[in-house]
């Protein structure tokens, strides 16, 4: 049920492989993504920066594709990210004048300490 509520591409075989990996279909195939798209577009236009937490790293994979579609710079850490990479991502996001719009984290990564 959690997969159904997040994005249909979380199920194997649902994504149409004939479509480009970074396309509008990422947004139009899931109501939650359509709402998130509207929200993030508004926040981006206002100059805000965003943290997104997810329990499912596969959702973060979809969000990475979405960021590629929108050509947004982002950082990501999850439970498999090494300590050095974790520190580098946080420094890149928090650097003065950073162009990173999104910071995506798995809840496990957040629990390991950031």
């Amino acid at each position: 049920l959690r997969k159904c509520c997040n994005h249909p591409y979380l199920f194997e075989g649902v994504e149409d492989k004939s479509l480009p990996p970074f396309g509008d279909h990422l947004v139009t195939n899931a109501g939650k993504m359509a709402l998130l798209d509207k929200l993030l577009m508004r926040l981006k236009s206002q100059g805000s920066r965003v943290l997104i937490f997810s329990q499912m790293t596969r959702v973060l994979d979809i969000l990475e594709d979405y960021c590629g579609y929108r050509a947004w710079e982002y950082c990501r850490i999850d439970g498999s990210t090494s300590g050095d990479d974790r520190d580098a991502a946080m420094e890149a996001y928090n650097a003065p004048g950073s162009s990173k719009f999104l910071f995506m984290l798995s809840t496990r990564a957040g629990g390991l300490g950031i």
Side-chain angles (χ1 to χ4, degrees):
L1 186 58
R2 286 187 332 174
K3 287 182 180 182
C4 291
C5 294
N6 283 315
H7 203 285
Y9 291 177
L10 294 172
F11 292 99
E12 292 298 323
V14 172
E15 185 174 4
D16 183 354
K17 299 296 184 185
S18 68
L19 297 172
F22 306 134
D24 193 44
H25 59 93
L26 291 168
V27 175
T28 58
N29 285 335
K32 188 179 277 190
M33 279 298 294
L35 179 62
L36 185 63
D37 182 53
K38 288 180 183 181
L39 179 63
L40 291 176
M41 295 292 281
R42 178 174 291 178
L43 290 170
K44 177 76 171 163
S45 71
Q46 295 172 348
S48 297
R49 295 179 349 149
V50 178
L51 294 175
I52 296 179
F53 286 87
S54 176
Q55 290 182 319
M56 300 174 72
T57 56
R58 289 189 58 210
V59 170
L60 296 181
D61 296 340
I62 292 170
L63 288 172
E64 278 190 294
D65 290 347
Y66 169 74
C67 286
Y69 165 63
R70 290 290 181 211
W72 291 338
E73 293 187 44
Y74 65 90
C75 295
R76 173 188 170 157
I77 60 174
D78 57 37
S80 65
T81 307
S82 72
D84 291 339
D85 290 343
R86 180 185 310 265
D87 291 341
M90 287 187 288
E91 287 177 19
Y93 187 79
N94 290 321
S98 174
S99 60
K100 307 289 187 193
F101 171 56
L102 284 170
F103 198 112
M104 297 180 278
L105 306 102
S106 71
T107 51
R108 181 173 178 218
L112 293 174
I114 51 172

